[in-house]
Each structure stands twice: as C-alpha cells, then as structure tokens.
Amino acid sequence: DVKVTQSSRYLVKRTGEKVFLECVQDMDHENMFWYRQDPGLGLRLIYFSYDVKMKEKGDIPEGYSVSREKKERFSLILESASTNQTSMYLCASSLYPPYEQYFGPGTRLTVT
Amino acid sequence: GENVEQHPSTLSVQEGDSAVIKCTYSDSASNYFPWYKQELGKRPQLIIDIRSNVGEKKDQRIAVTLNKTAKHFSLHITETQPEDSAVYFCAAMESGGGADGLTFGKGTHLIIQP
C-alpha cells in the first residue's frame, strides 16, 4: 500500500514566519508534487520534482520554494508567510512516466 | 499552459439515476486525463483515467469518454448510490514529453438524493 504522509494535519503560523511543510512517501516514486486546495478553485500545482535536487515551477509558485534532498522527502517552504497563503496543502507522489498520483492527508495551514 | 474547465459545479441526482460531469481542456498536447474523487475530509483518490489513444474506458458503474477533436472528456456514473456523494475533479496533462504536474478542474460536488 502506497503511503504518503505529511508532517502536520493542522498548523497555525503568524504573518512573516518561515514555514516548512514536509512530505514523505514510501514507494520509491520519482515524482513528487505540492498542491494547494481552496474552495471553488480546485487543486492548483505549486511545485513539483521529478528527481532528487530537481524542481519545476507549477502554476502558482510565487511566495513558495521547495527542497528535495532525498528521493522520499519533498518539502514546501513559505519564506515569509502571508494571510493569503492560508489554505489546505496537499502533497502527492507518482511513478514516472506519470501514473496515478497518490495524495497525502493534507495540511491545513492558517496564517494569522 | 493548460486550462481545464469543469461543469457543473454542483450536481444533484436521485439515487439510482445517472450522473454526467464534463470537462474541456485547452492544450492539444495533453494526453492523460484522470478523474479523482474526494470525500469530505479525505484525500483525493483516482477513480478512473484515460489516455488519448482511446475514446472510452469503463470500470463497473464508472465510464470516461474522450473527444480529442473537441478537447473535452466526461465522467459518467450509472446507478448512483449514496457513497458516490463526493467532490469529483477532472485533470489533464501531457505525459511522456517530460515531467509535469496535473492541471485540475475546479471540481463538481455530486449530491445523491435518497
């Protein structure tokens, strides 16, 4: 069974703080992804990675960065959190070429 | 980049009836079209996908059709049941030309009325 885990289910941070969201998968998947999910907007791709130390911008990368130092771990970084980054963040992984994406449980981030 | 439009945003059907959700995409290079189901408070899960070399795919009560010329694809659920109530997302991407992420539609909230 594929398992994708995220470091926190709920997180509350203050404006201006640096925030780290971590994602770990246990199926040796090459691809990993970060999405944010907002009501009425669906899931929007922030960043993805197809190999260790490789990263590609998605549709909404502004205000975010990522790190992939190990194949199983993909981190999303908010350099200076802002209130408009309050959202549900979902991590996913898949084999390459693109097959089914397996999602983590999500982190609901609130920035006050 | 790719743009995916999904309709309707909310769909209410009587239990036992069929439900159809439609999506259009903009990038003719897209060749992989998955559908995800997200139950309340849970993570999205793949229910069916189709690649551009076929026009239709079926899995029990669920089917997906693809019209490459018109750039639209649809999800069909027959004999709907209460457990089909969820938000459904369509998505599109170009696979094989390099790594890429999915572009999702905004979702359809399917409500099954008893």
Tab-separated table of all heavy atoms in Angstrom, chain B residues 59-92:
chain	number	residue	atom	x	y	z
B	59	ASP	N	-15.252	1.091	-16.030
B	59	ASP	CA	-14.915	0.280	-14.864
B	59	ASP	C	-16.167	0.177	-14.019
B	59	ASP	O	-16.498	1.078	-13.268
B	59	ASP	CB	-13.775	0.927	-14.078
B	59	ASP	CG	-13.346	0.093	-12.878
B	59	ASP	OD1	-13.875	-1.028	-12.701
B	59	ASP	OD2	-12.471	0.546	-12.120
B	60	GLN	N	-16.894	-0.909	-14.187
B	60	GLN	CA	-18.152	-1.171	-13.481
B	60	GLN	C	-19.139	-0.036	-13.741
B	60	GLN	O	-19.566	0.153	-14.879
B	60	GLN	CB	-17.873	-1.385	-11.993
B	60	GLN	CG	-16.961	-2.582	-11.739
B	60	GLN	CD	-16.713	-2.865	-10.283
B	60	GLN	OE1	-16.653	-1.976	-9.438
B	60	GLN	NE2	-16.560	-4.135	-9.947
B	61	ARG	N	-19.519	0.744	-12.741
B	61	ARG	CA	-20.535	1.791	-12.938
B	61	ARG	C	-19.956	3.107	-13.444
B	61	ARG	O	-20.682	4.071	-13.677
B	61	ARG	CB	-21.276	2.050	-11.629
B	61	ARG	CG	-22.062	0.867	-11.085
B	61	ARG	CD	-22.887	1.272	-9.866
B	61	ARG	NE	-22.049	1.683	-8.739
B	61	ARG	CZ	-21.939	2.940	-8.313
B	61	ARG	NH1	-22.607	3.922	-8.907
B	61	ARG	NH2	-21.173	3.218	-7.266
B	62	ILE	N	-18.657	3.161	-13.607
B	62	ILE	CA	-17.984	4.414	-13.991
B	62	ILE	C	-17.413	4.290	-15.391
B	62	ILE	O	-16.827	3.247	-15.735
B	62	ILE	CB	-16.864	4.733	-12.982
B	62	ILE	CG1	-17.459	5.068	-11.624
B	62	ILE	CG2	-16.006	5.895	-13.453
B	62	ILE	CD1	-16.436	5.198	-10.528
B	63	ALA	N	-17.599	5.333	-16.184
B	63	ALA	CA	-17.016	5.360	-17.528
B	63	ALA	C	-16.514	6.761	-17.823
B	63	ALA	O	-17.023	7.749	-17.271
B	63	ALA	CB	-18.053	4.944	-18.568
B	64	VAL	N	-15.499	6.834	-18.648
B	64	VAL	CA	-14.989	8.124	-19.109
B	64	VAL	C	-14.922	8.090	-20.625
B	64	VAL	O	-14.539	7.077	-21.216
B	64	VAL	CB	-13.614	8.446	-18.476
B	64	VAL	CG1	-12.592	7.382	-18.774
B	64	VAL	CG2	-13.128	9.810	-18.918
B	65	THR	N	-15.333	9.191	-21.251
B	65	THR	CA	-15.243	9.325	-22.706
B	65	THR	C	-14.356	10.510	-23.030
B	65	THR	O	-14.295	11.481	-22.274
B	65	THR	CB	-16.635	9.532	-23.329
B	65	THR	OG1	-17.234	10.701	-22.753
B	65	THR	CG2	-17.532	8.330	-23.068
B	66	LEU	N	-13.658	10.418	-24.140
B	66	LEU	CA	-12.728	11.468	-24.557
B	66	LEU	C	-12.971	11.810	-26.017
B	66	LEU	O	-13.020	10.921	-26.873
B	66	LEU	CB	-11.290	10.999	-24.371
B	66	LEU	CG	-10.182	11.876	-24.933
B	66	LEU	CD1	-10.133	13.224	-24.222
B	66	LEU	CD2	-8.831	11.171	-24.844
B	67	ASN	N	-13.111	13.094	-26.299
B	67	ASN	CA	-13.222	13.580	-27.676
B	67	ASN	C	-12.044	14.513	-27.917
B	67	ASN	O	-12.049	15.673	-27.507
B	67	ASN	CB	-14.557	14.313	-27.869
B	67	ASN	CG	-14.755	14.782	-29.299
B	67	ASN	OD1	-13.810	15.145	-29.998
B	67	ASN	ND2	-15.992	14.783	-29.748
B	68	LYS	N	-11.001	14.000	-28.547
B	68	LYS	CA	-9.778	14.779	-28.745
B	68	LYS	C	-9.997	15.952	-29.687
B	68	LYS	O	-9.407	17.013	-29.526
B	68	LYS	CB	-8.670	13.882	-29.290
B	68	LYS	CG	-8.004	13.008	-28.261
B	68	LYS	CD	-6.877	12.222	-28.878
B	68	LYS	CE	-5.783	13.116	-29.418
B	68	LYS	NZ	-4.675	12.351	-30.018
B	69	THR	N	-10.832	15.765	-30.671
B	69	THR	CA	-11.068	16.833	-31.648
B	69	THR	C	-11.697	18.042	-30.968
B	69	THR	O	-11.280	19.185	-31.190
B	69	THR	CB	-11.983	16.332	-32.767
B	69	THR	OG1	-11.405	15.162	-33.353
B	69	THR	CG2	-12.186	17.401	-33.823
B	70	ALA	N	-12.688	17.774	-30.127
B	70	ALA	CA	-13.380	18.856	-29.436
B	70	ALA	C	-12.682	19.239	-28.139
B	70	ALA	O	-13.073	20.215	-27.490
B	70	ALA	CB	-14.821	18.442	-29.140
B	71	LYS	N	-11.690	18.496	-27.735
B	71	LYS	CA	-10.944	18.701	-26.488
B	71	LYS	C	-11.879	18.711	-25.286
B	71	LYS	O	-11.877	19.645	-24.475
B	71	LYS	CB	-10.107	19.992	-26.571
B	71	LYS	CG	-8.916	19.827	-27.522
B	71	LYS	CD	-7.904	20.969	-27.416
B	71	LYS	CE	-8.354	22.139	-28.229
B	71	LYS	NZ	-7.350	23.199	-28.352
B	72	HIS	N	-12.684	17.670	-25.194
B	72	HIS	CA	-13.465	17.515	-23.974
B	72	HIS	C	-13.570	16.049	-23.583
B	72	HIS	O	-13.426	15.143	-24.412
B	72	HIS	CB	-14.838	18.210	-24.044
B	72	HIS	CG	-15.813	17.636	-25.001
B	72	HIS	ND1	-16.440	16.420	-24.838
B	72	HIS	CD2	-16.314	18.147	-26.153
B	72	HIS	CE1	-17.264	16.203	-25.831
B	72	HIS	NE2	-17.200	17.228	-26.644
B	73	PHE	N	-13.765	15.841	-22.292
B	73	PHE	CA	-13.897	14.493	-21.748
B	73	PHE	C	-14.929	14.526	-20.621
B	73	PHE	O	-15.163	15.571	-20.006
B	73	PHE	CB	-12.548	13.920	-21.279
B	73	PHE	CG	-11.800	14.749	-20.267
B	73	PHE	CD1	-11.612	14.282	-18.980
B	73	PHE	CD2	-11.222	15.964	-20.613
B	73	PHE	CE1	-10.903	15.010	-18.037
B	73	PHE	CE2	-10.512	16.706	-19.686
B	73	PHE	CZ	-10.359	16.235	-18.396
B	74	SER	N	-15.567	13.403	-20.406
B	74	SER	CA	-16.689	13.349	-19.482
B	74	SER	C	-16.616	12.113	-18.589
B	74	SER	O	-16.114	11.070	-19.005
B	74	SER	CB	-18.018	13.306	-20.253
B	74	SER	OG	-18.166	14.449	-21.061
B	75	LEU	N	-17.145	12.264	-17.396
B	75	LEU	CA	-17.273	11.157	-16.440
B	75	LEU	C	-18.747	10.782	-16.355
B	75	LEU	O	-19.608	11.659	-16.187
B	75	LEU	CB	-16.762	11.576	-15.062
B	75	LEU	CG	-16.896	10.535	-13.950
B	75	LEU	CD1	-15.893	9.399	-14.181
B	75	LEU	CD2	-16.673	11.168	-12.583
B	76	HIS	N	-19.026	9.491	-16.488
B	76	HIS	CA	-20.392	9.000	-16.408
B	76	HIS	C	-20.476	8.010	-15.249
B	76	HIS	O	-19.691	7.059	-15.196
B	76	HIS	CB	-20.775	8.274	-17.700
B	76	HIS	CG	-20.608	9.112	-18.938
B	76	HIS	ND1	-21.678	9.635	-19.652
B	76	HIS	CD2	-19.492	9.539	-19.588
B	76	HIS	CE1	-21.217	10.328	-20.677
B	76	HIS	NE2	-19.900	10.290	-20.667
B	77	ILE	N	-21.413	8.260	-14.338
B	77	ILE	CA	-21.663	7.320	-13.240
B	77	ILE	C	-23.086	6.828	-13.377
B	77	ILE	O	-24.040	7.629	-13.393
B	77	ILE	CB	-21.466	7.981	-11.860
B	77	ILE	CG1	-20.080	8.627	-11.753
B	77	ILE	CG2	-21.653	6.943	-10.748
B	77	ILE	CD1	-19.866	9.426	-10.477
B	78	THR	N	-23.267	5.527	-13.521
B	78	THR	CA	-24.615	4.955	-13.644
B	78	THR	C	-25.050	4.360	-12.310
B	78	THR	O	-24.222	4.080	-11.427
B	78	THR	CB	-24.644	3.863	-14.719
B	78	THR	OG1	-23.695	2.845	-14.374
B	78	THR	CG2	-24.290	4.423	-16.090
B	79	GLU	N	-26.371	4.203	-12.169
B	79	GLU	CA	-26.963	3.592	-10.958
B	79	GLU	C	-26.345	4.178	-9.689
B	79	GLU	O	-25.807	3.456	-8.842
B	79	GLU	CB	-26.768	2.071	-11.009
B	79	GLU	CG	-27.402	1.423	-12.218
B	79	GLU	CD	-27.027	-0.055	-12.347
B	79	GLU	OE1	-26.491	-0.641	-11.391
B	79	GLU	OE2	-27.268	-0.604	-13.440
B	80	THR	N	-26.421	5.486	-9.568
B	80	THR	CA	-25.746	6.168	-8.465
B	80	THR	C	-26.224	5.662	-7.097
B	80	THR	O	-27.392	5.294	-6.909
B	80	THR	CB	-25.953	7.683	-8.539
B	80	THR	OG1	-27.359	7.962	-8.646
B	80	THR	CG2	-25.215	8.270	-9.723
B	81	GLN	N	-25.263	5.677	-6.165
B	81	GLN	CA	-25.511	5.200	-4.802
B	81	GLN	C	-25.092	6.275	-3.808
B	81	GLN	O	-24.307	7.162	-4.165
B	81	GLN	CB	-24.721	3.907	-4.575
B	81	GLN	CG	-25.130	2.795	-5.529
B	81	GLN	CD	-24.189	1.598	-5.485
B	81	GLN	OE1	-23.250	1.546	-4.680
B	81	GLN	NE2	-24.424	0.635	-6.354
B	82	PRO	N	-25.570	6.232	-2.566
B	82	PRO	CA	-25.204	7.275	-1.589
B	82	PRO	C	-23.705	7.466	-1.439
B	82	PRO	O	-23.243	8.595	-1.261
B	82	PRO	CB	-25.840	6.749	-0.288
B	82	PRO	CG	-27.002	5.927	-0.742
B	82	PRO	CD	-26.556	5.276	-2.028
B	83	GLU	N	-22.940	6.391	-1.553
B	83	GLU	CA	-21.480	6.504	-1.384
B	83	GLU	C	-20.791	7.201	-2.555
B	83	GLU	O	-19.587	7.474	-2.501
B	83	GLU	CB	-20.843	5.127	-1.151
B	83	GLU	CG	-21.166	4.107	-2.213
B	83	GLU	CD	-22.353	3.225	-1.827
B	83	GLU	OE1	-23.298	3.733	-1.180
B	83	GLU	OE2	-22.330	2.031	-2.190
B	84	ASP	N	-21.556	7.514	-3.602
B	84	ASP	CA	-20.995	8.291	-4.712
B	84	ASP	C	-20.968	9.782	-4.391
B	84	ASP	O	-20.345	10.567	-5.120
B	84	ASP	CB	-21.811	8.075	-5.994
B	84	ASP	CG	-21.728	6.649	-6.508
B	84	ASP	OD1	-20.680	5.991	-6.303
B	84	ASP	OD2	-22.716	6.171	-7.097
B	85	SER	N	-21.645	10.192	-3.327
B	85	SER	CA	-21.629	11.602	-2.929
B	85	SER	C	-20.211	12.020	-2.568
B	85	SER	O	-19.573	11.410	-1.701
B	85	SER	CB	-22.549	11.834	-1.731
B	85	SER	OG	-23.903	11.648	-2.081
B	86	ALA	N	-19.711	13.053	-3.256
B	86	ALA	CA	-18.319	13.495	-3.073
B	86	ALA	C	-18.069	14.666	-4.019
B	86	ALA	O	-18.950	15.053	-4.789
B	86	ALA	CB	-17.337	12.362	-3.386
B	87	VAL	N	-16.855	15.193	-3.957
B	87	VAL	CA	-16.411	16.164	-4.958
B	87	VAL	C	-15.536	15.424	-5.967
B	87	VAL	O	-14.641	14.672	-5.575
B	87	VAL	CB	-15.630	17.329	-4.323
B	87	VAL	CG1	-15.158	18.297	-5.403
B	87	VAL	CG2	-16.510	18.066	-3.319
B	88	TYR	N	-15.821	15.627	-7.233
B	88	TYR	CA	-15.076	14.976	-8.311
B	88	TYR	C	-14.259	16.025	-9.070
B	88	TYR	O	-14.759	17.093	-9.406
B	88	TYR	CB	-16.032	14.269	-9.266
B	88	TYR	CG	-16.714	13.078	-8.632
B	88	TYR	CD1	-17.811	13.257	-7.798
B	88	TYR	CD2	-16.243	11.782	-8.847
B	88	TYR	CE1	-18.428	12.164	-7.192
B	88	TYR	CE2	-16.849	10.689	-8.253
B	88	TYR	CZ	-17.948	10.889	-7.419
B	88	TYR	OH	-18.541	9.817	-6.813
B	89	PHE	N	-13.002	15.688	-9.325
B	89	PHE	CA	-12.112	16.578	-10.063
B	89	PHE	C	-11.635	15.886	-11.338
B	89	PHE	O	-11.171	14.744	-11.292
B	89	PHE	CB	-10.875	16.935	-9.233
B	89	PHE	CG	-11.159	17.749	-8.015
B	89	PHE	CD1	-11.282	17.134	-6.779
B	89	PHE	CD2	-11.278	19.122	-8.096
B	89	PHE	CE1	-11.531	17.884	-5.628
B	89	PHE	CE2	-11.528	19.882	-6.963
B	89	PHE	CZ	-11.659	19.263	-5.723
B	90	CYS	N	-11.709	16.608	-12.452
B	90	CYS	CA	-11.051	16.130	-13.658
B	90	CYS	C	-9.686	16.811	-13.744
B	90	CYS	O	-9.441	17.817	-13.078
B	90	CYS	CB	-11.872	16.449	-14.905
B	90	CYS	SG	-12.122	18.217	-15.215
B	91	ALA	N	-8.808	16.256	-14.542
B	91	ALA	CA	-7.474	16.827	-14.699
B	91	ALA	C	-6.921	16.451	-16.059
B	91	ALA	O	-7.407	15.519	-16.716
B	91	ALA	CB	-6.535	16.351	-13.589
B	92	ALA	N	-5.917	17.194	-16.472
B	92	ALA	CA	-5.279	16.930	-17.757
B	92	ALA	C	-3.793	17.206	-17.652
B	92	ALA	O	-3.350	18.048	-16.857
B	92	ALA	CB	-5.890	17.819	-18.851
